[in-house]
Amino acid sequence: MFYTKYESIVAPMILVGDEKGIARLYFDIPEAKKKLASDAEWEYNDSFFDDVKSELKEYFEGSRKAFSIKLNPSGTAFQKNIWNILMRIPYGETRTYSQIATDAGNPNASRAAGSAAGRNPIPIIIPCHRVIGASGQLTGYAFGVEMKKNLLELEKKHI
């Protein structure tokens, strides 16, 4: 597994992946509710992530609305299904946890959908920041609600 650091306009990031795809994207900020568990076997390789960094740069500049890089997140079948649904939320738009649960085939599973979104290992690329509460309020985000707000505002600015 390779890793590198990337300085985005919103926060420093750590990218982790291998030939199978990007496995983790982590905002390296104090507000993070969960910390990246690094592995001594990981090898620093900045050039391996050139495509990812290029796409992230385009995203933050507002010229990229969807990512084309290969992903390899670890999770349960349910989590991966939710993450695939999240990837279908258009740039600059939001959906509620209830809408995500309905799209997953179980309208009563909004808490489970929220839990899966909260375990998303590749934020931004898998846009869990686009999911909001039923009342329209910004709710939970592993990197703080302020980060979620900033990402949504960034997208709205570039629509």
Side-chain angles (χ1 to χ4, degrees):
M1 195 68 73
F2 301 116
Y3 78 97
T4 194
K5 295 183 178 188
Y6 176 71
E7 290 293 327
S8 78
I9 63 169
V10 295
M13 301 172 151
I14 299 171
L15 307 171
V16 180
D18 59 18
E19 295 79 11
K20 295 177 186 173
I22 299 304
R24 298 287 313 264
L25 183 155
Y26 177 81
F27 288 109
D28 195 14
I29 57 174
E31 298 85 358
K33 293 178 183 167
K34 51 187 172 178
K35 301 298 177 196
L36 178 65
S38 61
D39 188 315
E41 300 292 316
W42 290 358
E43 178 184 333
Y44 183 83
N45 186 336
D46 193 52
S47 63
F48 180 81
F49 296 94
D50 284 348
D51 291 346
V52 180
K53 292 185 293 183
S54 176
E55 289 196 17
L56 284 168
K57 181 178 183 284
E58 292 167 356
Y59 167 82
F60 288 118
E61 291 171 344
S63 62
R64 177 167 291 277
K65 309 299 188 223
F67 292 89
S68 64
I69 54 179
K70 199 162 57 167
L71 304 179
N72 188 27
S74 292
T76 67
F78 178 78
Q79 289 169 336
K80 289 179 179 182
N81 183 43
I82 295 297
W83 300 337
N84 284 326
I85 292 167
L86 297 180
M87 290 174 52
R88 295 193 302 256
I89 302 172
Y91 181 93
E93 294 185 20
T94 58
R95 300 290 183 270
T96 65
Y97 293 102
S98 177
Q99 288 172 310
I100 300 301
T102 298
D103 288 350
N106 188 346
N108 298 319
S110 58
R111 285 184 189 252
S115 178
R119 286 180 167 52
N120 171 16
I122 313 172
I124 295 182
I125 298 170
I126 300 175
C128 55
H129 63 277
R130 295 180 188 153
V131 185
I132 60 174
S135 66
Q137 296 295 314
L138 299 185
T139 57
Y141 190 61
F143 301 100
V145 174
E146 189 65 24
M147 175 69 74
K148 186 177 203 171
K149 177 183 170 205
N150 291 342
L151 292 170
L152 290 170
E153 287 176 354
L154 176 102
E155 290 184 8
K156 296 231 184 264
K157 181 172 107 177
H158 295 291
I159 292 180

